[in-house]
Amino acid sequence: MKNSVTPQIVAHIAKLANIPVTQVEQEKLAAGFSETLDVIDELNKLDVKNVPTAHQVTGLENVWREDTINPNTIFTQQEALANAAQTHNGFFVVSRILEEKDA
Amino acid sequence: MLNKLTLAQTIEGLKNKKFSHRELYADVQKNIEEKNKSLNIYLTLNNQALDQAEKLLNTPLAGAPIAIKDNYCTRDFRTTASAKVLDKFKPQFDATVIKKLKNAGGVMIGKTNMDAWAHGSSTETSDYGRTLNPRNTEHLPGGSSGGSAAAVAADLAITALGTETAGSIRQPAAWCGVVGLKPTYGRVSRYGVAAMASSTDSPGPITKTVEDAAILLNQIAGHDPLDGTSTAQTTPDFTQTLNTPVKGLKIGVIYHDITGAEFANEKLMEQLKVLENLGATVEKTTAMDPHYAIGVYTVVQRGEVSSNLARYDGVRYGNDRSYFSDEAKRRQMLGTYTLSKGYAEKYYELAQKVRTLFIEDLKKLFNTYDVLIAPTSPGFAKKIGVTEGQAMFGELEDMLVEASSVAGLPGLNVPYYRDEKTNLFLGMDIIAPMWREDLVIQVGDAFEKNTAWNSWRTQS
């Protein structure tokens, strides 16, 4: 394996991706990442100088819609909350992301 | 045994009162009761299917029972994408394809198992257990639309819908010995399908015959204002090129020298004589090395996955991010890595440039050939358990369909060989330029109708 992704890098990516991983998983994932990056590195054998990037295949550009409300695609409050793990007085309950200073 | 009928036969039989909805659904339900537990095909069954069907006789699909992959949002009906994160998720709306299907008189018989989030080519990564290949239960059905392909192969539905990002319709269709049509990217709306890689996701049919695929595509294709990448072109009648002579068509055979696909290619060349005898020219040609498509697809797919799966935050869709299983974690994190500062250019930009090389290479080949054909998969369905610990299993299995996927082209899997000892199948992938589903249907239908394929079906 040419690439070597460390468990520390995996831990950092896990934080960025907001995915909880255990230490055991970190090591397993690190090996898998190295293997995958080796496959991707094969692309460097090709000459892509002056080759444009293909971000899409349809050729469509600037697809707009009218800035109007489509009654077929709006949810009632009840519908919007239907799959929420936790609600309170018609609101989503989310985890706290800010802490009080000195709290 | 009405469950063994094709979609065309089912519609014809219902309309001409050869049998009733009650009789048809009784046979399908009986087969489901007998086999679903062991094969693990349906995650959720629709117990109102018959009631819904009986009102639909005077519609194009006449109330035929259709298996739906579990990543299509179905209103008020459990939709998990085979992922525990969505264990109790009941969408508040129908995907556009589902809406169109219902309007055309199709009835959802149940939601089928798949690789979780469609991340895989085996249906082994499902959070609800693997599906078995009905042709030979020691083997995998392929994936990610493995449940839908197995439902069709085992006659647990008359026909089915799958989705493909790179191989997820064609490869399970090949492994289960059925027909699978991946439409041109943009031909069928993605709205309401749990997003995987948005720049290649293509919903499409998995069916018993090419004719059925054309019938179903007619109903689900077309512009959708809710999907900005869906085509504004008018939808042709895809059944028009059925029963059309292939005389004079030029067919290029690609990937004929791939290591590991020797047997599949040997049998393919033998079988393509069927098309030669019908007056088509068949010749070997060379396409860009498909090994590079693995790298392109891996980077593009992981990157888009990391963005699409960020929405499952435990607030709006039920369970939180600790419910992701290994494959989804692996893919989101690798995507996060390859898109992160300093790496986006090294990986993502490079992959998108090589993607251009594939698009141009295939375009050039279509200057000479009407369609290109290769084996869909390098070999037969693999044994159960084979994906364990393999980070790149799906990509290697799907190598031969990845170039056409990243290029957005239509592709059709048609079975061409059955191994008598194992009852396992090989399928060919017929690809054509953008928007030319008519060509793959023409060639696939001609091949199917001039081979023993329909008699193989009855032996399973």
Side-chain angles (χ1 to χ4, degrees):
Chain A
M1 246 180 261
K2 284 169 283 158
N3 284 283
S4 104
V5 176
T6 62
Q8 287 73 29
I9 295 174
V10 172
H12 177 63
I13 307 168
K15 193 171 167 240
L16 292 177
N18 187 19
I19 292 175
V21 289
T22 64
Q23 203 141 16
V24 179
E25 282 179 312
Q26 280 174 21
E27 279 170 35
K28 222 170 84 185
L29 284 161
F33 283 3
S34 303
E35 186 191 332
T36 305
L37 292 174
D38 282 353
V39 173
I40 297 170
D41 275 345
E42 292 286 305
L43 297 179
N44 287 308
K45 289 185 186 161
L46 294 166
D47 180 13
V48 293
K49 228 185 340 172
N50 305 320
V51 176
T53 52
H55 289 297
Q56 53 121 315
V57 295
T58 58
L60 294 170
E61 276 179 45
N62 295 339
V63 178
W64 305 104
R65 65 166 174 83
E66 289 304 311
D67 188 17
T68 52
I69 293 167
N70 178 352
N72 297 317
T73 56
I74 53 173
F75 291 161
T76 61
Q77 185 181 32
Q78 201 185 359
E79 283 171 334
L81 294 168
N83 288 292
Q86 226 187 323
T87 62
H88 179 73
N89 290 344
F91 288 92
F92 290 107
V93 174
V94 300
S95 332
R96 177 193 290 262
I97 55 165
L98 297 172
E99 297 289 342
E100 270 179 67
K101 210 177 169 186
D102 303 323
Chain B
M1 300 294 266
L2 295 171
N3 54 311
K4 293 211 173 245
L5 296 178
T6 68
L7 177 61
Q9 291 167 338
T10 303
I11 295 168
E12 193 269 335
L14 286 167
K15 295 227 184 227
N16 291 320
K17 309 262 161 59
K18 288 183 182 163
F19 47 83
S20 67
H21 285 103
R22 188 163 291 277
E23 291 167 306
L24 169 68
Y25 278 75
D27 283 0
V28 175
Q29 300 287 9
K30 185 168 164 270
N31 200 34
I32 290 174
E33 270 160 43
E34 277 168 20
K35 295 182 188 159
N36 193 46
K37 212 168 194 175
S38 58
L39 296 174
N40 195 27
I41 288 174
Y42 289 109
L43 297 177
T44 317
L45 284 159
N46 176 13
N47 52 25
Q48 283 155 29
L50 174 61
D51 292 345
Q52 291 164 0
E54 283 183 320
K55 301 178 191 109
L56 297 167
L57 187 62
N58 297 317
T59 58
L61 298 175
I66 301 173
I68 309 290
K69 188 177 179 181
D70 205 26
N71 58 349
Y72 284 94
C73 282
T74 45
R75 192 182 177 122
D76 298 328
F77 195 89
R78 184 172 179 243
T79 299
T80 68
S82 287
K84 287 269 163 80
V85 171
L86 297 179
D87 191 47
K88 295 185 188 77
F89 179 56
K90 283 187 180 170
Q92 307 91 323
F93 66 103
D94 276 327
T96 296
V97 166
I98 300 300
K99 205 177 249 179
K100 279 174 174 266
L101 203 69
K102 285 181 179 173
N103 287 340
V107 172
M108 168 180 69
I109 183 94
K111 302 290 289 288
T112 58
N113 197 21
M114 52 188 279
D115 285 290
W117 306 106
H119 296 170
S121 307
S122 62
T123 316
E124 282 210 303
T125 71
S126 166
D127 290 353
Y128 299 96
R130 63 170 72 96
T131 295
L132 303 182
N133 189 324
R135 305 292 190 184
N136 181 331
T137 52
E138 284 173 20
H139 291 257
L140 294 165
S144 64
S145 311
S148 285
V152 172
D155 298 302
L156 264 59
I158 294 299
T159 196
L161 284 180
T163 62
E164 170 156 337
T165 302
S168 279
I169 286 176
R170 289 173 283 175
Q171 185 257 13
W175 282 16
C176 290
V178 295
V179 170
L181 174 56
K182 180 202 106 65
T184 307
Y185 176 78
R187 174 70 84 190
V188 180
S189 168
R190 296 178 291 110
Y191 181 76
V193 178
M196 202 242 268
S198 305
S199 78
T200 61
D201 285 349
S202 307
I206 295 180
T207 58
K208 296 174 184 176
T209 63
V210 177
E211 181 184 14
D212 285 0
I215 292 171
L216 215 46
L217 183 60
N218 270 354
Q219 300 305 335
I220 63 172
H223 180 241
D224 177 13
L226 300 175
D227 174 0
T229 58
S230 76
T231 180
Q233 305 185 33
T234 49
T235 307
D237 175 3
F238 294 106
T239 62
Q240 251 168 15
T241 48
L242 297 168
N243 306 310
T244 304
V246 293
K247 197 171 174 206
L249 283 187
K250 290 197 77 177
I251 297 168
V253 182
I254 55 173
Y255 308 150
H256 44 80
D257 51 1
I258 294 293
T259 308
E262 291 83 358
F263 183 79
N265 270 308
E266 184 195 319
K267 293 292 160 197
L268 179 63
M269 289 315 289
E270 278 174 34
Q271 285 297 310
L272 289 179
K273 292 212 175 80
V274 171
L275 294 170
E276 262 180 331
N277 291 339
L278 294 169
T281 31
V282 176
E283 64 182 38
K284 289 183 179 174
T285 185
T286 307
M288 189 170 150
D289 185 349
H291 286 91
Y292 292 114
I294 300 173
V296 174
Y297 176 66
T298 302
V299 173
V300 171
Q301 195 266 357
R302 305 300 192 269
E304 295 184 18
V305 160
S306 74
S307 159
N308 278 326
L309 268 61
R311 79 189 61 176
Y312 301 107
D313 51 10
V315 176
R316 293 161 295 162
Y317 299 92
N319 292 329
D320 65 39
R321 297 177 74 75
S322 67
Y323 282 76
F324 280 121
S325 47
D326 289 352
E327 192 61 27
K329 285 184 192 176
R330 183 151 61 194
R331 294 196 184 206
Q332 288 182 80
M333 288 171 61
L334 196 88
T336 302
Y337 181 66
T338 54
L339 287 177
S340 63
K341 194 165 181 292
Y343 293 102
E345 200 161 298
K346 184 178 170 194
Y347 295 115
Y348 197 71
E349 289 278 315
L350 172 64
Q352 297 284 40
K353 285 180 178 178
V354 180
R355 188 178 188 178
T356 300
L357 295 180
F358 275 108
I359 293 169
E360 295 302 325
D361 178 63
L362 290 163
K363 223 183 236 170
K364 214 171 70 205
L365 285 168
F366 286 126
N367 287 334
T368 311
Y369 301 101
D370 295 294
V371 297
L372 298 170
I373 295 183
T376 300
S377 174
F380 295 102
K382 292 274 194 310
K383 283 214 161 170
I384 55 177
V386 76
T387 62
E388 194 62 38
Q390 287 203 43
M392 293 297 285
F393 173 81
E395 279 56 41
L396 296 168
E397 279 309 312
D398 287 338
M399 179 172 77
L400 304 183
V401 292
E402 279 173 345
S404 56
S405 295
V406 296
L409 306 179
L412 175 70
N413 176 76
V414 181
Y416 67 86
Y417 181 80
R418 172 175 165 269
D419 185 79
E420 304 235 331
K421 251 203 319 242
T422 60
N423 194 36
L424 293 173
F425 290 78
L426 296 171
M428 69 171 88
D429 179 29
I430 308 168
I431 62 171
M434 295 283 285
W435 317 115
R436 294 307 304 274
E437 287 88 348
D438 62 315
L439 277 173
V440 301
I441 288 168
Q442 180 183 355
V443 174
D445 179 63
F447 177 81
E448 183 187 72
K449 285 182 176 151
N450 286 281
T451 57
W453 158 239
N454 282 306
S455 62
W456 296 348
R457 260 204 72 235
T458 52
Q459 291 173 26
S460 67

CSV table of all heavy atoms in Angstrom, one decimal, chain B residues 283-303:
chain,number,residue,atom,x,y,z
B,283,GLU,N,-18.3,-6.4,-34.3
B,283,GLU,CA,-16.8,-6.5,-34.3
B,283,GLU,C,-16.2,-6.0,-33.0
B,283,GLU,O,-16.8,-5.1,-32.3
B,283,GLU,CB,-16.2,-5.7,-35.5
B,283,GLU,CG,-16.5,-4.2,-35.5
B,283,GLU,CD,-15.9,-3.6,-36.8
B,283,GLU,OE1,-16.0,-4.1,-37.9
B,283,GLU,OE2,-15.4,-2.4,-36.6
B,284,LYS,N,-15.1,-6.6,-32.7
B,284,LYS,CA,-14.4,-6.1,-31.5
B,284,LYS,C,-13.7,-4.8,-31.7
B,284,LYS,O,-13.2,-4.5,-32.8
B,284,LYS,CB,-13.3,-7.2,-31.1
B,284,LYS,CG,-13.8,-8.5,-30.6
B,284,LYS,CD,-12.7,-9.4,-30.2
B,284,LYS,CE,-13.3,-10.7,-29.7
B,284,LYS,NZ,-12.2,-11.7,-29.4
B,285,THR,N,-13.8,-3.9,-30.7
B,285,THR,CA,-13.1,-2.7,-30.7
B,285,THR,C,-12.5,-2.3,-29.4
B,285,THR,O,-12.7,-3.1,-28.4
B,285,THR,CB,-14.1,-1.6,-31.2
B,285,THR,OG1,-13.4,-0.3,-31.4
B,285,THR,CG2,-15.2,-1.3,-30.2
B,286,THR,N,-11.8,-1.2,-29.3
B,286,THR,CA,-11.1,-1.0,-28.0
B,286,THR,C,-11.7,0.3,-27.4
B,286,THR,O,-11.7,1.4,-28.0
B,286,THR,CB,-9.6,-0.8,-28.2
B,286,THR,OG1,-9.2,-2.0,-28.9
B,286,THR,CG2,-8.9,-0.7,-26.9
B,287,ALA,N,-12.1,0.2,-26.1
B,287,ALA,CA,-12.5,1.4,-25.4
B,287,ALA,C,-11.4,1.7,-24.3
B,287,ALA,O,-10.6,0.9,-24.0
B,287,ALA,CB,-13.8,1.2,-24.7
B,288,MET,N,-11.5,2.9,-23.8
B,288,MET,CA,-10.5,3.3,-22.7
B,288,MET,C,-10.6,2.3,-21.6
B,288,MET,O,-11.6,1.8,-21.2
B,288,MET,CB,-11.0,4.7,-22.2
B,288,MET,CG,-10.0,5.3,-21.3
B,288,MET,SD,-10.5,7.0,-21.0
B,288,MET,CE,-9.8,7.2,-19.3
B,289,ASP,N,-9.4,2.0,-21.0
B,289,ASP,CA,-9.2,1.0,-20.0
B,289,ASP,C,-10.2,1.2,-18.8
B,289,ASP,O,-10.1,2.2,-18.1
B,289,ASP,CB,-7.8,1.0,-19.5
B,289,ASP,CG,-7.5,-0.1,-18.4
B,289,ASP,OD1,-8.5,-0.7,-18.0
B,289,ASP,OD2,-6.3,-0.3,-18.1
B,290,PRO,N,-11.2,0.3,-18.6
B,290,PRO,CA,-12.2,0.5,-17.6
B,290,PRO,C,-11.7,0.6,-16.1
B,290,PRO,O,-12.4,1.0,-15.2
B,290,PRO,CB,-13.2,-0.6,-17.8
B,290,PRO,CG,-12.4,-1.7,-18.4
B,290,PRO,CD,-11.3,-1.0,-19.2
B,291,HIS,N,-10.4,0.1,-15.9
B,291,HIS,CA,-9.8,0.2,-14.6
B,291,HIS,C,-9.8,1.6,-14.1
B,291,HIS,O,-10.0,1.9,-12.9
B,291,HIS,CB,-8.4,-0.4,-14.6
B,291,HIS,CG,-8.4,-1.9,-14.6
B,291,HIS,ND1,-8.3,-2.5,-15.8
B,291,HIS,CD2,-8.5,-2.8,-13.7
B,291,HIS,CE1,-8.3,-3.8,-15.6
B,291,HIS,NE2,-8.5,-4.0,-14.3
B,292,TYR,N,-9.6,2.6,-15.0
B,292,TYR,CA,-9.6,4.0,-14.6
B,292,TYR,C,-11.0,4.5,-14.1
B,292,TYR,O,-11.1,5.4,-13.4
B,292,TYR,CB,-9.1,4.9,-15.7
B,292,TYR,CG,-7.6,4.6,-16.0
B,292,TYR,CD1,-7.2,4.1,-17.2
B,292,TYR,CD2,-6.6,4.9,-15.1
B,292,TYR,CE1,-5.9,3.8,-17.5
B,292,TYR,CE2,-5.3,4.7,-15.4
B,292,TYR,CZ,-4.9,4.2,-16.6
B,292,TYR,OH,-3.6,3.9,-16.8
B,293,ALA,N,-12.0,3.8,-14.7
B,293,ALA,CA,-13.4,4.2,-14.3
B,293,ALA,C,-13.6,4.0,-12.8
B,293,ALA,O,-14.4,4.7,-12.2
B,293,ALA,CB,-14.4,3.5,-15.1
B,294,ILE,N,-12.9,3.0,-12.2
B,294,ILE,CA,-13.1,2.7,-10.8
B,294,ILE,C,-12.7,3.9,-10.0
B,294,ILE,O,-13.4,4.4,-9.1
B,294,ILE,CB,-12.2,1.5,-10.4
B,294,ILE,CG1,-12.6,0.3,-11.2
B,294,ILE,CG2,-12.4,1.2,-8.9
B,294,ILE,CD1,-11.7,-1.0,-11.0
B,295,GLY,N,-11.5,4.5,-10.3
B,295,GLY,CA,-11.0,5.7,-9.6
B,295,GLY,C,-12.0,6.8,-9.7
B,295,GLY,O,-12.3,7.5,-8.8
B,296,VAL,N,-12.4,7.1,-11.0
B,296,VAL,CA,-13.3,8.2,-11.2
B,296,VAL,C,-14.6,8.1,-10.4
B,296,VAL,O,-15.0,9.0,-9.7
B,296,VAL,CB,-13.7,8.3,-12.7
B,296,VAL,CG1,-14.7,9.4,-13.0
B,296,VAL,CG2,-12.4,8.6,-13.6
B,297,TYR,N,-15.2,6.9,-10.6
B,297,TYR,CA,-16.5,6.7,-9.9
B,297,TYR,C,-16.3,6.8,-8.4
B,297,TYR,O,-17.1,7.3,-7.7
B,297,TYR,CB,-17.1,5.3,-10.3
B,297,TYR,CG,-18.3,5.0,-9.5
B,297,TYR,CD1,-19.5,5.8,-9.7
B,297,TYR,CD2,-18.4,4.1,-8.6
B,297,TYR,CE1,-20.6,5.6,-9.0
B,297,TYR,CE2,-19.5,3.8,-7.8
B,297,TYR,CZ,-20.6,4.6,-8.0
B,297,TYR,OH,-21.8,4.4,-7.3
B,298,THR,N,-15.2,6.2,-7.9
B,298,THR,CA,-15.0,6.2,-6.4
B,298,THR,C,-15.0,7.6,-5.9
B,298,THR,O,-15.6,7.9,-4.9
B,298,THR,CB,-13.8,5.4,-6.1
B,298,THR,OG1,-13.9,4.1,-6.6
B,298,THR,CG2,-13.6,5.3,-4.6
B,299,VAL,N,-14.2,8.4,-6.5
B,299,VAL,CA,-14.1,9.8,-6.0
B,299,VAL,C,-15.4,10.6,-6.2
B,299,VAL,O,-15.9,11.2,-5.2
B,299,VAL,CB,-13.0,10.6,-6.8
B,299,VAL,CG1,-12.9,12.0,-6.4
B,299,VAL,CG2,-11.6,9.9,-6.6
B,300,VAL,N,-16.0,10.5,-7.3
B,300,VAL,CA,-17.3,11.2,-7.6
B,300,VAL,C,-18.3,10.8,-6.6
B,300,VAL,O,-19.0,11.5,-6.0
B,300,VAL,CB,-17.7,11.1,-9.0
B,300,VAL,CG1,-19.1,11.6,-9.3
B,300,VAL,CG2,-16.7,11.7,-10.0
B,301,GLN,N,-18.5,9.4,-6.5
B,301,GLN,CA,-19.6,8.9,-5.7
B,301,GLN,C,-19.4,9.2,-4.2
B,301,GLN,O,-20.3,9.6,-3.6
B,301,GLN,CB,-19.6,7.4,-5.9
B,301,GLN,CG,-20.9,6.7,-5.4
B,301,GLN,CD,-20.7,6.2,-4.0
B,301,GLN,OE1,-19.6,6.2,-3.5
B,301,GLN,NE2,-21.8,5.6,-3.5
B,302,ARG,N,-18.1,9.0,-3.7
B,302,ARG,CA,-17.9,9.2,-2.3
B,302,ARG,C,-18.1,10.7,-2.0
B,302,ARG,O,-18.7,11.1,-0.9
B,302,ARG,CB,-16.5,8.8,-1.9
B,302,ARG,CG,-16.1,7.4,-2.2
B,302,ARG,CD,-17.0,6.4,-1.5
B,302,ARG,NE,-16.4,5.0,-1.6
B,302,ARG,CZ,-16.6,4.1,-2.6
B,302,ARG,NH1,-17.4,4.5,-3.6
B,302,ARG,NH2,-16.1,2.9,-2.5
B,303,GLY,N,-17.7,11.6,-2.9
B,303,GLY,CA,-17.8,13.0,-2.6
B,303,GLY,C,-19.3,13.4,-2.6
B,303,GLY,O,-19.7,14.1,-1.6
